[in-house]
Amino acid sequence: MFSGLSALVIEGVTDEGEVIRVSARTRDDPVPCPACGTRTARMHGFHGRVIADLPVDGRRVVAFVRVRRLVCPVLGCLRQTFREQVPGVVERYQRRTNRLAGQLGSVVKELAGRAGARLCRVLACAISRSTALRMLMRQVVTPPLRVPRVLGVDDFALKR
């Protein structure tokens, strides 16, 4: 049922009517430091993240994920402590899983703005029209600016 959360250890699932709450934590494997790349499993503490996942049976799914705060073993490292990330499930600073972000991105690509927000509300993953437009702008790849080879002047006059 929660195959998108397979990188996590699911500790419990609670049915609260309109919302399904999933309690999960990260695995106890060593992870590399983002600054120096040294692998460590030395814990400093915990941090909680609230992540929205794809709806199940027309109800929202909210995952409460406990991630570890780790200590880098290298003394001269710029990052002495860091939070572990959950690659494949959620990116840094995201509040939606990659699966949900992909689904919302597909809807927003076809129906931007208010229409996309209305359809997402029907699909039990409500977003605002502003969020829909932000997601669309993040997907659009702008072509690189080119320097023109020739400039033309249509009208030229010294006096009026």
Side-chain angles (χ1 to χ4, degrees):
M1 178 183 266
F2 303 111
S3 62
L5 303 176
S6 61
L8 301 170
V9 176
I10 296 178
E11 295 178 334
V13 178
T14 308
D15 184 3
E16 297 181 359
E18 293 295 318
V19 178
I20 297 174
R21 297 195 188 275
V22 178
S23 300
R25 65 175 173 83
T26 55
R27 300 187 187 280
D28 295 332
D29 302 331
V31 295
C33 171
C36 66
T38 307
R39 297 181 68 79
T40 182
R42 189 171 150 213
M43 265 191 347
H44 179 66
F46 294 103
H47 176 74
R49 290 184 70 176
V50 179
I51 302 168
D53 194 21
L54 286 175
V56 173
D57 193 28
R59 296 184 291 174
R60 292 186 314 129
V61 174
V62 178
F64 292 92
V65 180
R66 189 181 75 174
V67 295
R68 298 177 295 173
R69 186 162 188 84
L70 300 168
V71 178
C72 182
V74 178
L75 294 177
C77 183
L78 298 173
R79 305 273 304 264
Q80 293 179 358
T81 64
F82 61 94
R83 291 182 191 131
E84 71 177 320
Q85 299 299 314
V86 189
V89 176
V90 66
E91 300 298 322
R92 183 172 291 210
Y93 303 117
Q94 260 188 341
R95 294 185 181 183
R96 295 181 188 97
T97 60
N98 291 340
R99 296 185 320 159
L100 180 60
Q103 181 181 16
L104 292 176
S106 299
V107 170
V108 166
K109 188 184 275 186
E110 297 299 325
L111 304 168
R114 287 188 176 128
R118 280 194 304 265
L119 181 60
C120 288
R121 192 175 311 115
V122 170
L123 295 175
C125 42
I127 58 172
S128 68
R129 64 177 191 238
S130 301
T131 303
L133 290 175
R134 273 195 308 273
M135 290 179 78
L136 180 64
M137 294 305 291
R138 222 177 287 132
Q139 288 181 359
V140 174
V141 178
T142 57
L145 295 176
R146 294 179 26 196
V147 178
R149 291 184 297 130
V150 177
L151 289 176
V153 178
D154 293 340
D155 294 318
F156 179 78
L158 292 175
K159 292 187 178 181
R160 211 167 150 152

